Amino acid sequence: MLFVVIYPTIDTIRLSLFNESATKFLGLTNYKTVFSTDTILTAFRNNVIWVLIFPFFVTTIGLIFAVLTERIRWATAFKALVVMPIVFSTTASALVWATIFDNSPQIGAVNAAVLTVSDWFNPPGAYPVSTSAGQTVADLVGSNSRAEKNSGIVSITSAQAGGTINIGLRDVSPTTLALLKAQDALKPQPMSGAITGVVWRAFSPSAPTNTTDILPGELGLPILRLSLVNPQGAIVATTTTTTTGQYKFSNVGTGSYFVEIVSSNFTSGFTGISWLGGGSLTPVSGLGQTEQALLSVPLADMAMIITYLWIWAGFAMVLIGAGLASLNREVLEAARIDGAKEWQVFRRVTVPMLAPVLAVVFVTMIINVLKVFDIVLNMASGSSVNATPTLAVEIYNDGFTGGVHSGVSSAIAVILFLLVLPAMIMNLKRIKGV
Amino acid sequence: MANIVQSTDLTKRRRGLSRILPKRGPSNIVLGIIAIVWLVPTVSLLVISLRPEADFGVSGWWKALLDPSSLTFSNYRILFDQGFVAGGLLDSLMTSLEITVPATLLVVFFACFAGHSLVFGNWRGRDVVFLTVVGLMVVPVQVALIPVVQFYHELGNLFGLNPYGTIPGVIIFHVAFGLPFGIFLMRNFMSGIPKDLLEAARMEGAGEWKVFYRIVLPLALPALASLAIFQFIWVWNDLLVALVFLGGNAHTPLTVFLYDQNHELQANYWIISTGAIVSVVVPLIVFFSFQRYFVRGVLAGAVK
């Protein structure tokens, strides 16, 4: 212990005053570096986020769980279940939650849930344009059509009742059409009192440059949502195309009309929130770039904190549960007999009586979170690698990746030690008092 | 008459009880939902590890619940069939055991003696030593890493035995950082053993050694179990110490195995999930076999 704990702790202080290979005395230069290096300041920011959010939530959740488990018969099973993640390695837990927060709704459960809800309110069109791949609605414009400002496509020609309007589109994905069971496009028959037509994929391998005629083998575009628009731009009727791409607007009034393929056909659905990517909650503008960066909260931090709550809630629950069990029941009963509501009993009697236990959980979790390491190292990926490091991660990155460098890394370690010190003094006081 | 009195008494008591334990229904529902939420990550990991590699990324793991026949042990078979090649799953499992078992036994061993000496010994400065130990409990591992690496190299220069990059090097570090908590736990527990018991034994002529292993040790067994479980799980799950001190060693514990798979070969989620399940099984067995002692350890070790 002397050689591996006490001596090294003192030696770290010495090393923090020397250069990277510990050969030259530098004084406080390393500490100046610490407070002027962006990545290390980011690490401070992240530690602050962790300390502000995590201990509070884990204590609250532990308290809620502990109180609720007092009222159920299967408390033992519930407790075992919630405590279980503590015995998992943080590495394994982090990797599990990394898939839960995965970008792709085909992998990540969170994004799959968001996708389901989002589709409910904002269903994707049958012909989604993948804006992320740089595609726009204008790319689809073929014969007799032009892109509208509202990101729909409208016919160039107009027609009166009894006339026809055909629209050809390009760049429609064959897989989409196969999925929709599209059939060969058929030329429409004019009908009196109606405007008819076909919307088709104006591309044939035998005549790739001919986009104006409907050639054999060219497919109709099914289930497109169309509207009939008057020259002022007002919608007078809506309909959808059949499997052969045909449509019919019946009982058309006098005047000439255009046909519009409405924009909702092309909206792509929700494609996934990048929880573990570079996304962040940024404060309002009006700040310098550095301040903005330092005050923003990376989404990945939130994902990591949620994961950490899953791991540690059981710990808080067990401690607070033990505190609850040793409470003086008579005081609680007395409060109830005096007519206090359940919530009042909890708020005014239970919580104040539990205060010492809650404080222990809170402080323990602050110490824990100051040293948070495994979870960040394993969950960060892509651009969040630079956004999420904590001090413990920076100590590792600075000191051990690419050879051992002792200077700056030791300085961060000393600062981390100083941050933990108040907790150490609290422990000593508590134990001396016992 | 007596009967009537009794029955009203009973209803009164019952009414009192129902006021103390109000409304069970909502608590059951809320905790039921929480229990499911808490279980989901573990279940997802298990399901992913049982799905064919090709299914990952094509559809969510929850789809497999609708079609349980698609699950297979092939991932496990492939990784186990590799045998004990360096860097493989089984080799990592062995390395984890090679590190964890000695590190646990040594801490338990030293902590017992230290605890005994701190409680029943008769030397000056016991309190100072104990308070130092309490203080050391919260020292972050990170603070000691660099000097210990250099210290290991020094040992190499002086005696030709450099523990850096070796399994003993990792064990030494874990033992040193496990001892403060171990001593704290044993000392606290042993101080609850009545001193008269020891006096009586001494009166009958038992030596200090006999007193220790005949009286103190059997009585301290529950605390010992708590400590052993804690140290085991702590060392088993460590990533940082292994990353730093095993630099360059081809044999790595499971945590480093998972870390490497995730960082160097990100697409291999079938290996990660299977490896994670293997890494989780051992502490789970320990946890469920000694749950009582584990909880006791949590309560005693709240300060770590």
Side-chain angles (χ1 to χ4, degrees):
Chain A
M1 242 163 50
L2 184 68
F3 282 112
V4 183
V5 188
I6 300 175
Y7 152 75
T9 306
I10 297 162
D11 198 41
T12 297
I13 301 172
R14 181 184 70 84
L15 287 173
S16 73
L17 304 173
F18 280 76
N19 68 351
E20 293 299 345
S21 47
T23 46
K24 205 172 141 224
F25 184 77
L26 294 177
L28 293 175
T29 314
N30 285 328
Y31 290 88
K32 266 185 211 146
T33 312
V34 166
F35 289 106
S36 58
T37 309
D38 278 355
T39 52
I40 303 174
L41 288 177
T42 308
F44 271 108
R45 190 268 321 265
N46 288 324
N47 266 73
V48 169
I49 292 172
W50 274 90
V51 168
L52 284 183
I53 297 178
F54 182 77
F56 172 76
F57 275 99
V58 81
T59 312
T60 311
I61 291 176
L63 177 63
I64 293 170
F65 285 9
V67 170
L68 289 181
T69 44
E70 288 237 306
R71 296 172 188 188
I72 59 168
R73 285 171 205 278
W74 48 289
T76 321
F78 180 84
K79 281 181 182 166
L81 194 87
V82 176
V83 170
M84 208 168 61
I86 304 179
V87 306
F88 293 179
S89 66
T90 312
T91 308
S93 301
L95 294 174
V96 175
W97 281 84
T99 48
I100 292 179
F101 283 114
D102 197 280
N103 283 0
S104 156
Q106 273 74 48
I107 300 174
V110 173
N111 274 343
V114 177
L115 172 70
T116 312
V117 176
S118 132
D119 278 359
W120 191 270
F121 291 107
N122 184 23
Y127 299 88
V129 166
S130 85
T131 41
S132 57
Q135 206 184 17
T136 64
V137 171
D139 292 336
L140 300 178
V141 169
S143 82
N144 188 26
S145 54
R146 60 184 168 82
E148 275 278 40
K149 277 196 200 105
N150 63 10
S151 60
I153 290 177
V154 76
S155 63
I156 292 171
T157 61
S158 63
Q160 298 182 336
T164 60
I165 299 173
N166 300 332
I167 301 174
L169 296 185
R170 300 180 307 145
D171 276 7
V172 178
S173 142
T175 44
T176 308
L177 290 177
L179 209 69
L180 297 172
K181 300 195 171 62
Q183 291 169 4
D184 283 2
L186 291 179
K187 256 203 179 105
Q189 297 301 317
M191 287 168 72
S192 68
I195 291 178
T196 55
V198 66
V199 185
W200 88 105
R201 181 168 180 259
F203 173 81
S204 165
S206 56
T209 48
N210 184 344
T211 57
T212 46
D213 301 318
I214 303 172
L215 301 172
E218 293 190 333
L219 296 171
L221 303 183
I223 65 163
L224 268 178
R225 288 187 279 260
L226 306 177
S227 9
L228 197 62
V229 187
N230 66 18
Q232 286 75 44
I235 296 166
V236 294
T238 59
T239 187
T240 53
T241 55
T242 65
T243 48
T244 55
Q246 287 181 308
Y247 69 88
K248 184 177 98 181
F249 289 103
S250 316
N251 305 323
V252 179
T254 54
S256 61
Y257 297 94
F258 297 89
V259 168
E260 184 185 350
I261 307 170
V262 297
S263 62
S264 70
N265 290 298
F266 308 117
T267 53
S268 50
F270 168 79
T271 50
I273 296 172
S274 173
W275 296 103
L276 296 175
S280 65
L281 309 167
T282 22
V284 277
S285 52
L287 293 165
Q289 210 171 5
T290 323
E291 289 90 340
Q292 182 102 18
L294 281 177
L295 285 176
S296 63
V297 178
L299 277 183
D301 271 3
M302 294 297 115
M304 288 170 191
I305 288 174
I306 290 172
T307 308
Y308 222 49
L309 284 174
W310 179 73
I311 299 175
W312 285 101
F315 171 83
M317 178 188 68
V318 168
L319 274 185
I320 297 169
L324 263 181
S326 64
L327 279 192
N328 189 343
R329 297 278 143 168
E330 282 169 18
V331 179
L332 297 184
E333 258 180 78
R336 289 197 181 98
I337 288 164
D338 285 348
K341 294 245 169 52
E342 207 42 48
W343 170 246
Q344 287 174 314
V345 174
F346 176 75
R347 182 75 188 67
R348 309 251 170 220
V349 186
T350 313
V351 171
M353 279 170 80
L354 279 178
V357 183
L358 297 180
V360 168
V361 173
F362 199 80
V363 171
T364 312
M365 285 298 134
I366 289 178
I367 303 175
N368 185 322
V369 151
L370 281 173
K371 303 189 266 192
V372 67
F373 173 78
D374 308 37
I375 201 160
V376 180
L377 209 61
N378 284 302
M379 272 181 95
S381 69
S383 49
S384 69
V385 170
N386 296 324
T388 55
T390 54
L391 291 176
V393 175
E394 273 307 307
I395 293 171
Y396 176 75
N397 284 345
D398 275 356
F400 296 99
T401 46
V404 175
H405 312 287
S406 56
V408 174
S409 182
S410 292
I412 309 174
V414 170
I415 293 167
L416 183 64
F417 183 61
L418 291 177
L419 290 174
V420 175
L421 210 56
M424 184 162 140
I425 292 164
M426 258 185 68
N427 273 344
L428 284 175
K429 275 194 178 148
R430 216 176 77 214
I431 281 152
K432 250 186 174 170
V434 165
Chain B
M1 185 67 193
N3 266 342
I4 295 166
V5 170
Q6 219 176 351
S7 74
T8 48
D9 237 24
L10 258 181
T11 47
K12 241 187 210 164
R13 212 177 288 161
R14 226 175 254 151
R15 225 178 260 152
L17 258 181
S18 73
R19 288 182 75 169
I20 294 165
L21 299 170
K23 288 169 217 141
R24 281 190 168 168
S27 303
N28 270 314
I29 296 166
V30 170
L31 289 184
I33 294 169
I34 292 170
I36 292 169
V37 170
W38 237 257
L39 206 54
V40 161
T42 316
V43 172
S44 81
L45 183 67
L46 187 65
V47 172
I48 293 172
S49 79
L50 292 173
R51 289 183 94 195
E53 183 192 352
D55 284 4
F56 183 77
V58 176
S59 63
W61 58 268
W62 50 91
K63 293 273 165 63
L65 296 178
L66 302 173
D67 180 20
S69 63
S70 68
L71 299 179
T72 145
F73 280 103
S74 68
N75 293 341
Y76 291 87
R77 210 169 302 132
I78 294 169
L79 291 175
F80 287 159
D81 281 350
Q82 290 178 343
F84 290 92
V85 287
L89 181 61
L90 280 184
D91 181 68
S92 295
L93 182 65
M94 277 309 292
T95 311
S96 276
L97 284 171
E98 278 168 31
I99 293 172
T100 310
V101 172
T104 306
L105 292 179
L106 285 170
V107 163
V108 170
F109 181 80
F110 287 129
C112 276
F113 285 114
H116 180 90
S117 176
L118 280 172
V119 178
F120 307 113
N122 242 334
W123 42 283
R124 273 160 176 259
R126 280 183 301 159
D127 289 344
V128 175
V129 169
F130 179 62
L131 287 177
T132 313
V133 164
V134 173
L136 290 181
M137 274 200 294
V138 293
V139 172
V141 170
Q142 284 86 352
V143 175
L145 292 175
I146 292 172
V148 174
V149 169
Q150 293 177 342
F151 176 64
Y152 279 2
H153 286 309
E154 282 296 301
L155 283 180
N157 293 338
L158 290 174
F159 307 107
L161 277 175
N162 183 355
Y164 179 78
T166 68
I167 287 174
V170 178
I171 295 174
I172 294 170
F173 194 89
H174 278 310
V175 171
F177 266 85
L179 269 178
F181 172 69
I183 296 172
F184 169 78
L185 196 75
M186 295 317 291
R187 188 262 184 199
N188 271 6
F189 191 86
M190 284 177 177
S191 60
I193 297 174
K195 294 215 160 123
D196 303 350
L197 224 60
L198 278 80
E199 280 312 308
R202 284 195 187 113
M203 296 273 268
E204 282 174 23
E208 200 57 39
W209 172 244
K210 207 166 187 182
V211 167
F212 173 70
Y213 82 81
R214 275 290 166 80
I215 297 172
V216 177
L217 208 54
L219 284 173
L221 223 50
L224 223 128
S226 296
L227 172 60
I229 294 162
F230 254 70
Q231 179 69 7
F232 185 93
I233 289 172
W234 194 69
V235 175
W236 184 269
N237 291 336
D238 159 76
L239 172 67
L240 175 61
V241 176
L243 267 184
V244 169
F245 287 100
L246 277 182
N249 195 318
H251 304 279
T252 57
L254 284 166
T255 45
V256 178
F257 171 84
L258 291 175
Y259 171 82
D260 284 345
Q261 288 293 338
N262 186 39
H263 278 248
E264 280 148 37
L265 314 143
Q266 279 197 346
N268 282 345
Y269 205 79
W270 67 280
I271 300 183
I272 292 177
S273 59
T274 311
I277 286 288
V278 170
S279 85
V280 151
V281 162
V282 176
L284 266 189
I285 294 171
V286 172
F287 169 65
F288 278 114
S289 328
F290 304 99
Q291 204 180 335
R292 229 164 13 114
Y293 299 112
F294 182 81
V295 171
R296 214 175 279 173
V298 168
L299 297 178
V303 278
K304 192 167 182 179

